[in-house]
């Protein structure tokens, strides 16, 4: 039981170390691969060395106690060591490329993590020696240790959001000290050396062929685990919680398999086990679309119920394979008359190699599905190497034939049959960072998907307007921007919003190569081929800001999904400070947030964190997106915006403001970011990545409550005028725009509450106040289009009603399409061709309009 607790602390350390390295490596599987490789290599090396020296160790329990205590002490010292070296690491980053940086950190991880893992690996031979080499106990001890490890995978989920990284390490290390003390007490009671004969049974080395084969099974096991983590994590939404559940399910099956393994080996087992492992591993690929579709349509009352239900489904899907993986060690130990510690060491070293192969070679070259197939066939071939029945090898071609149809990921329409039914996958790119899809919807519009469920951007005309605004507002708020840096590229549409600004150096940093290719190849029609005018650096945003010494007038943080594993570090105190350090003297940093991704308290966490770095921080609201504006010096307000616009021609001014005018943009001002007591988002004390998934399943991600909170924060008209520096002569223009924005938000709230007549009245008042505001025009045009059937009651025919809608909002695509169809039906082809040209200009990927062009 103590060795089971030792397994718990070991894997809890591993999970926490993965979390630590993800801060250095950025958002990718590199942290997982390097940590797992270092961890497993240490386990294997420690086990093999201890197996060679076990006959010379007179008191194995005493040594085990000392090792457990040493690991706990090392874990306590590691955060201090990282704090001491962090400044040096930041300095070195400026002299290395991304992959040199990864190489340096991989070497550091091997040095830092292999040492404690080496001690953990030595514990297995020591505990077997203390049990006097009884072969029947190996399965029990290995099984209990692995079941403890499954609990250790889940423990940090409770510790990290409560105590932060440092606190979680202290708790696990404290538990490790208790385990060490308990082993010490046992060692003091049992001070006799194990029998020599028992030692020989334990330490007897199996044939090299068996060690190599079982090492290969270790490699296949880790390849399979990493492939499953990628695919199931994608399907189940890749939060910190889901990754831990996948690891726990994997370890739980291995532990149960070891406990349930028969004490005596039979030849039939060495035929059945590889067939089961390979067959069910391939079956998991066949069942992936069904699992994904089930997750898509399932509804859960809480995060706990979601994790429990999805974890149970995952356990059922993987259990036959993991039971086999757990049963192999005790069966081989029995077959070779001992040598379990040698087999354990070889398997661990193979697992280290498998982790590297999966992350560095197999997934980037062949993809996750093919990686799982490679692992399944390896399990079959290596497992059958212990079988004397030649007929069993006939299964190999059968399984190859069964694997061929699932060697690639299923189409998105099969994985997400509800929200993306009848869609077409245009582009798929996969590497160790992410899976990137470009999907064409039935109407011809394209979506950029990252890791399947994360929609980065759409070519829908309204979405294009929103994305372009992410560049417009930050660039308008600088008096004369000459350089801009986009932290995140996506489709490139947001970058295209900077095109009206002259003499501008455009820079973007993007970690996903798939996104870079997609922006250049698949989204050029809607991003105006902006990639030709943009310098794109493939890098992690954290490393880029650490490595670069360049300064920029404007830095823009793109919208992203903060509840995904690792992404919330982009909203941390440290990341905001890095961005501030790269601003020029009068520079501006703007971080965009999507309101539907936050609850009210999470927004306050981000506000506090941002304001800590930018004391003069301000808020702007653009539709459902919130802009956190951080000036390096003072906020220039209206003065800076008008100085910027005055240097532009009339055409450039119109394009820079999207035809809305400068007052509309100033009217979206929402006041200074308020100060409030409470926690901040820190890289070493994460909050958001644990809070947001809970809020999501509890229904806390409610746009209505976020808008109500923001309305309470908005300053009065006079306070806003003072903050922006509005002149008396401009007061009426500003007040109309300012009032229109608030009326629009109140209209949205009324509509969400089901008060449609009130919502319509408010949006008409907003339009009267500022007809240039495109959000207001969109909302009013939508209302008019929805009531199109009532046009005749007001003496209008359908064409006149559509023309009235387009006078309110010339960019209303649905009204344009309806008018175009009506003009063609009436035979007015000349006018229809003009309407068609307007439609195609607004929506160049519209399938119906493009078909008419052909």
């Amino acid at each position: 039981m103590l060795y089971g607790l030792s397994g718990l602390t070991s894997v809890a350390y591993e999970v926490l170390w993965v979390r630590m390295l993800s801060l250095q490596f950025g958002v990718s599987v590199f942290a997982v691969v390097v940590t797992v490789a270092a961890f497993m290599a240490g386990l294997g090396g420690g086990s093999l060395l201890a197996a060679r020296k076990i006959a010379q160790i007179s008191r194995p329990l005493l040594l085990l106690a000392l090792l457990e205590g040493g690991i706990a002490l090392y874990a306590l010292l590691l955060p201090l060591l990282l704090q001491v070296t962090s400044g040096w690491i930041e300095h070195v980053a400026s002299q290395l490329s991304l992959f040199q940086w990864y190489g340096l950190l991989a070497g550091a991880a091997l040095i830092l993590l292999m040492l404690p893992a080496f001690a953990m690996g030595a514990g297995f031979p020591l505990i077997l020696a203390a049990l006097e080499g009884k072969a029947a106990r190996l399965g029990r001890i290995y099984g209990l240790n692995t079941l403890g490890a499954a609990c250790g995978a889940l423990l940090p989920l409770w510790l990290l959001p409560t105590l932060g990284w440092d606190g979680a390490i202290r708790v696990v290390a404290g538990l490790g000290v208790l385990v060490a003390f308990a082993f010490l007490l046992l060692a003091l009671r049992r001070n006799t050396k194990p029998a020599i004969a028992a030692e020989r049974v334990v330490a007897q080395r199996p044939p090299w062929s068996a060690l190599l084969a079982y090492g290969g099974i270790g490699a296949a096991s880790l390849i399979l685990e990493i492939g499953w983590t990628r695919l199931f994590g994608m399907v189940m939404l890749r939060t910190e919680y889901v990754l831990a559940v996948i690891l726990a399910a994997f370890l739980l099956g291995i532990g149960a398999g070891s406990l349930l393994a028969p004490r005596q080996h039979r030849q039939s087992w060495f035929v059945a086990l590889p067939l089961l492992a390979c067959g069910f591993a391939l079956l998991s690929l066949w069942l992936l679309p069904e699992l994904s579709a089930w997750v898509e349509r399932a509804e859960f009352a809480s995060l706990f119920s979601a994790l429990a239900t999805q974890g149970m489904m995952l356990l059922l899907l993987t259990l036959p394979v993991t039971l086999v993986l757990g049963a192999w060690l005790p069966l081989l130990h029995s077959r070779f008359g001992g040598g379990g510690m040698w087999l354990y060491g070889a398997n661990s070293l193979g697992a280290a190699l498998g982790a590297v192969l999966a992350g560095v070679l197999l997934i980037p070259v062949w993809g996750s599905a093919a990686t799982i197939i490679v692992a399944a066939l390896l399990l079959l071939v290596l497992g059958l190497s212990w079988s004397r029945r030649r007929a069993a090898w006939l299964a190999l071609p059968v399984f190859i034939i069964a694997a061929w149809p699932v060697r690639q990921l299923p189409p998105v329409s099969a994985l997400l049959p509800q929200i993306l039914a009848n869609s077409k996958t245009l582009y798929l790119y996969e590497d160790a960072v992410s899976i990137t899809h470009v999907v064409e919807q039935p109407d011809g519009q394209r979506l950029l998907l990252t890791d399947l469920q994360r929609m980065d951007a759409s070519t829908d005309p309204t979405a294009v307007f929103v994305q372009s605004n992410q560049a417009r507002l930050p660039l308008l708020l600088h008096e004369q921007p000459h350089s801009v840096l986009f932290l995140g590229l996506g489709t490139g549409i947001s970058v295209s919003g900077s095109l009206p600004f002259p003499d501008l150096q455009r820079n973007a940093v993007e970690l996903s190569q798939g996104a870079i290719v997609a922006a250049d190849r698949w989204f050029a029609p809607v991003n105006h081929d902006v990639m030709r005018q943009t310098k794109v650096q493939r890098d992690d945003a954290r490393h880029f800001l650490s490595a670069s010494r360049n300064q920029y007038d404007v830095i823009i943080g793109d919208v992203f999904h903060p509840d995904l594993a690792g992404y919330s570090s982009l909203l941390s105190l440290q990341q905001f400070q890095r961005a501030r350090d790269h601003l020029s003297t009068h520079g501006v940093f703007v971080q965009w947030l999507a309101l539907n991704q936050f609850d009210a308290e999470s927004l306050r966490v981000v506000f506090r964190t941002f304001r800590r770095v930018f004391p003069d921080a301000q808020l702007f609201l653009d539709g459902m997106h919130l802009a956190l504006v951080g000036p390096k010096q003072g906020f220039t307000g209206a003065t800076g915006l008008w100085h910027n616009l005055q240097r532009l021609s009339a055409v450039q001014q119109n394009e820079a403001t999207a035809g809305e005018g400068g007052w509309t943009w100033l009217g979206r001002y929402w006041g200074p970011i308020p100060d409030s007591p409470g926690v901040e988002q820190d890289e070493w004390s994460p909050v958001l990545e644990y809070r947001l998934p809970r809020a999501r399943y509890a229904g806390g991600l409610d746009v209505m409550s976020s808008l109500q909170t923001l309305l309470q924060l908005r300053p009065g008209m006079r306070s806003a005028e003072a903050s922006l520096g509005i002149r008396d002569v401009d007061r009426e223009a500003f007040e109309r725009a300012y009032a229109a924005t608030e009326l629009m938000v109140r209209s949205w709230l009324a509509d969400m509450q089901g008060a449609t007549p009130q919502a319509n009245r408010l949006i008409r008042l907003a339009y009267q106040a500022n007809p240039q505001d495109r959000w207001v025009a969109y909302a009013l045009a939508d209302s008019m289009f929805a009531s199109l059937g009532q046009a005749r009651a007001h003496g209008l025919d359908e064409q006149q009603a559509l023309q009235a809608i387009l006078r309110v909002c010339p960019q209303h695509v649905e009204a344009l399409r309806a008018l175009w169809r009506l003009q063609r039906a009436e035979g007015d082809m000349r006018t229809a061709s003009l309407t068609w040209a307007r439609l195609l200009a607004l929506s160049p990927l519209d399938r119906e309009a493009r078909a008419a062009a052909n």
Side-chain angles (χ1 to χ4, degrees):
M1 294 304 295
L2 282 175
Y3 197 54
L5 288 176
S6 175
L8 183 150
T9 58
S10 297
V11 172
Y13 287 136
E14 181 187 6
V15 171
L16 290 171
W17 289 334
V18 168
R19 182 67 177 79
M20 172 193 71
L21 286 181
S22 69
L23 300 177
Q24 307 294 332
F25 283 82
V27 184
S28 72
V29 301
F30 282 110
V32 177
V33 168
V34 171
T35 307
V36 169
F39 193 79
M40 299 307 297
L43 288 180
S47 179
L48 292 176
L49 179 63
R52 292 188 60 186
K53 303 294 184 181
I54 196 68
Q56 304 171 23
I57 300 174
S58 59
R59 304 185 66 179
L61 272 183
L62 178 61
L63 180 56
L64 182 58
L66 294 175
L67 289 176
E68 291 283 349
I71 294 167
L73 179 61
Y74 183 86
L76 289 172
L77 293 176
L78 188 57
L80 178 62
L81 179 62
L82 289 171
Q83 291 174 11
V84 170
T85 59
S86 61
W88 173 81
I89 290 176
E90 294 280 345
H91 173 71
V92 171
S94 64
Q95 306 172 36
L96 300 176
S97 69
L98 176 65
F99 292 102
Q100 289 173 330
W101 165 258
Y102 282 156
L104 171 68
L105 291 177
L110 289 173
I111 295 172
L112 292 174
L113 303 186
M114 278 187 68
L115 182 61
F118 196 89
M120 295 173 190
F124 190 64
L126 292 174
I127 196 72
L128 290 179
L131 291 170
E132 300 179 354
K134 295 182 180 179
R137 291 191 177 181
L138 181 136
R140 188 181 307 166
I141 199 72
Y142 179 63
L144 289 174
N145 180 262
T146 309
L147 290 179
C151 297
L154 300 175
L155 180 62
L157 294 182
W158 173 67
L159 295 177
L160 277 172
T162 306
L163 304 173
W165 196 84
D166 288 348
I169 280 288
R170 293 190 189 100
V171 169
V172 178
L175 184 58
V177 169
L178 293 177
V179 172
F181 183 70
F183 274 129
L184 179 62
L185 292 179
L186 285 178
L188 295 176
R189 292 177 57 190
R190 299 178 59 186
N191 56 11
T192 58
K193 185 177 180 180
I196 299 296
E199 289 176 10
R200 290 175 178 170
V201 170
V202 173
Q204 178 180 340
R205 179 177 62 79
W208 282 109
S209 59
L211 293 178
L212 289 174
Y214 196 53
I217 284 179
S221 301
L222 255 294
I223 292 171
L224 185 62
E225 180 185 350
I226 290 176
W228 274 346
T229 300
R230 160 58 66 83
L231 291 186
F232 294 143
M234 171 189 69
V235 166
M236 297 167 64
L237 193 58
R238 190 165 54 90
T239 66
E240 299 279 1
Y241 293 94
V242 171
L243 296 179
V245 168
I246 293 173
L247 178 59
F250 194 85
L251 292 171
L252 183 63
I254 292 176
S258 182
L259 290 173
L260 297 174
R263 296 185 179 183
Q264 300 297 326
H265 71 279
R266 294 180 181 176
Q267 186 58 223
S268 57
W269 285 110
F270 294 101
V271 176
L273 292 183
L275 294 176
L276 288 171
C278 181
F280 279 97
L282 295 179
L283 183 62
S284 70
L285 289 176
W286 281 95
L287 294 177
L288 181 65
E290 282 69 24
L291 175 65
S292 180
W294 172 78
V295 172
E296 183 191 23
R297 65 175 180 268
E299 296 182 2
F300 305 100
S302 66
L303 176 64
F304 177 80
S305 65
L307 291 176
T309 307
Q310 294 182 17
M312 186 60 65
M313 289 291 292
L314 184 64
L315 185 63
L316 292 175
L317 197 61
T318 60
L319 189 60
V321 183
T322 54
L323 286 174
V324 170
L325 297 178
W328 250 317
L329 179 60
L331 285 172
L332 291 172
H333 181 73
S334 172
R335 173 168 179 164
F336 296 112
M341 63 183 67
W342 290 91
L343 292 164
Y344 176 86
N347 185 266
S348 299
L349 287 179
L353 177 62
V356 174
L357 287 175
V360 177
L361 180 63
L362 294 177
I363 288 179
V365 174
W366 290 340
S368 298
T371 296
I372 290 177
I373 291 173
V374 169
L377 296 178
L378 272 176
L379 291 175
L380 177 67
V381 172
L382 294 172
L384 288 179
S385 67
W386 292 305
S387 172
R388 299 189 182 95
R389 300 179 183 176
R390 296 182 178 179
W393 288 93
L394 295 175
L396 180 58
V398 174
F399 282 131
I400 291 175
I401 294 172
W404 188 255
V406 291
R407 68 191 185 280
Q408 295 179 340
L409 280 177
V412 172
S413 57
L415 294 171
L416 298 174
Q418 289 186 340
I419 61 174
L420 289 177
N422 301 317
S423 63
K424 178 183 177 183
T425 301
L426 299 178
Y427 172 68
L428 169 63
Y429 181 90
E430 183 176 2
D431 58 18
V433 175
S434 61
I435 299 175
T436 302
H437 284 93
V438 176
V439 178
E440 185 177 82
Q441 296 179 293
D443 61 358
Q445 302 301 334
R446 293 173 184 171
L447 301 178
L448 178 66
L449 304 179
T450 301
D451 289 340
L452 189 63
Q453 295 196 33
R454 178 185 134 198
M455 190 185 81
D456 281 339
S458 165
T459 61
D460 179 82
T462 305
V464 170
F465 172 65
V466 173
Q467 294 166 72
S468 300
N469 284 358
Q470 292 179 22
R472 290 189 182 109
L473 175 66
L475 290 169
L476 285 170
L477 293 177
H478 192 282
E479 290 190 9
Q480 192 170 349
H482 292 292
S483 59
V484 59
L485 171 65
F486 293 86
L487 300 179
L489 175 67
T491 58
I493 297 173
S494 57
V495 182
S496 70
S498 68
L499 288 174
F501 294 86
D503 304 321
L504 188 64
Q505 295 179 357
R506 298 173 185 84
N507 304 271
V509 55
E510 173 61 55
L511 184 58
S512 170
Q513 181 64 33
I516 295 172
V517 174
D520 183 51
R521 183 184 305 170
W522 296 100
F523 292 95
V526 286
N527 67 28
H528 306 290
D529 214 15
V530 74
M531 297 291 287
R532 300 289 179 268
Q533 304 177 49
T534 306
K535 181 181 179 181
V536 180
Q537 178 72 35
R538 187 191 178 193
D539 205 342
D540 172 67
R542 181 191 184 280
H543 170 258
F544 179 85
L545 293 178
S546 299
S548 172
R549 291 295 176 262
N550 296 333
Q551 291 192 320
Y552 306 90
D553 293 329
V554 176
I555 300 178
I556 302 171
D558 201 358
V559 173
F560 57 89
H561 292 250
D563 61 334
L564 297 183
Y567 279 81
S568 67
S569 62
L570 297 176
L571 297 176
S572 69
L573 190 71
Q574 292 83 352
Q575 182 67 2
F576 290 155
Q577 185 60 55
R578 292 184 196 105
R580 190 181 193 280
D581 292 341
H582 284 272
L583 290 174
S584 59
T585 303
H586 300 288
V588 178
F589 172 58
V590 176
Q591 177 62 59
W592 287 96
L593 305 177
L595 287 178
N596 64 339
Q597 296 174 353
F598 293 86
D599 63 334
E601 180 53 36
S602 297
L603 275 178
R604 294 188 189 97
V605 171
V606 181
F607 289 171
R608 283 191 289 266
T609 308
F610 195 83
R611 193 178 186 276
R612 171 87 172 273
V613 178
F614 297 96
D616 198 21
Q618 310 291 322
L619 289 175
F620 281 77
L621 183 67
D622 181 55
M624 293 296 177
H625 285 179
L626 193 63
L628 280 61
V629 179
K632 189 169 186 177
Q633 294 189 350
F635 178 55
T636 58
T639 304
L641 183 142
W642 288 116
H643 281 173
N644 191 351
L645 287 178
Q646 286 168 6
R647 70 190 180 93
L648 306 179
S649 67
V651 174
Q652 289 174 328
Q653 287 184 26
N654 186 66
E655 292 177 348
T657 63
E660 296 182 287
W663 291 118
T664 298
W665 286 96
L666 289 172
R668 290 168 180 158
Y669 177 65
W670 219 262
I673 291 183
D675 190 16
S676 63
V679 298
E680 298 170 348
Q681 175 70 9
D682 191 282
E683 287 182 345
W684 300 104
S685 298
V687 178
L688 296 177
E689 53 262 62
Y690 298 100
R691 178 180 179 83
L692 289 176
R694 293 200 300 268
R696 174 176 177 264
Y697 282 101
L701 304 186
D702 181 11
V703 175
M704 185 168 67
S705 63
S706 296
L707 290 175
Q708 289 171 335
T709 300
L710 289 174
L711 281 174
Q712 296 171 3
L713 296 177
R714 199 179 201 206
M717 193 83 73
R718 296 294 173 261
S719 296
E721 290 171 354
S723 297
L724 291 171
I726 304 296
R727 299 178 305 174
D728 290 342
V729 68
D730 298 322
R731 182 170 292 174
E732 181 183 355
F734 170 73
E735 289 179 353
R736 294 177 71 88
Y738 194 77
T741 301
E742 184 159 332
L743 288 167
M744 176 190 64
V745 172
R746 293 190 181 279
S747 171
W748 288 342
L749 281 171
D751 189 56
M752 293 174 188
Q753 294 167 347
T756 303
Q758 181 185 358
N760 291 338
R761 185 169 59 254
L762 288 170
I763 204 63
R764 289 185 180 277
L765 289 173
Y767 184 75
Q768 291 173 13
N770 184 18
Q772 285 187 290
D773 190 317
R774 192 183 290 189
W775 286 115
V776 173
Y778 272 137
L780 180 56
D782 284 341
S783 174
M784 295 171 67
F785 190 78
S787 59
L788 196 60
Q790 304 173 15
R792 291 181 180 176
H794 295 82
L796 298 175
D797 61 26
E798 186 176 357
Q799 186 166 161
Q800 290 173 324
L802 291 171
Q803 293 285 9
I805 293 172
L806 291 172
R807 282 194 295 272
V808 171
C809 183
Q811 299 85 13
H812 200 274
V813 172
E814 290 79 5
L816 267 176
R817 184 183 291 108
L819 181 61
W820 173 51
R821 290 171 178 169
L822 187 61
Q823 290 167 344
R824 286 197 303 171
E826 293 176 351
D828 188 359
M829 303 310 294
R830 182 177 178 277
T831 307
S833 68
L834 296 176
T835 306
W836 168 82
R838 289 174 60 189
L839 175 62
L840 201 60
L842 277 175
S843 185
L845 296 177
D846 186 278
R847 177 166 291 170
E848 185 179 1
R850 292 174 70 187
N854 297 327

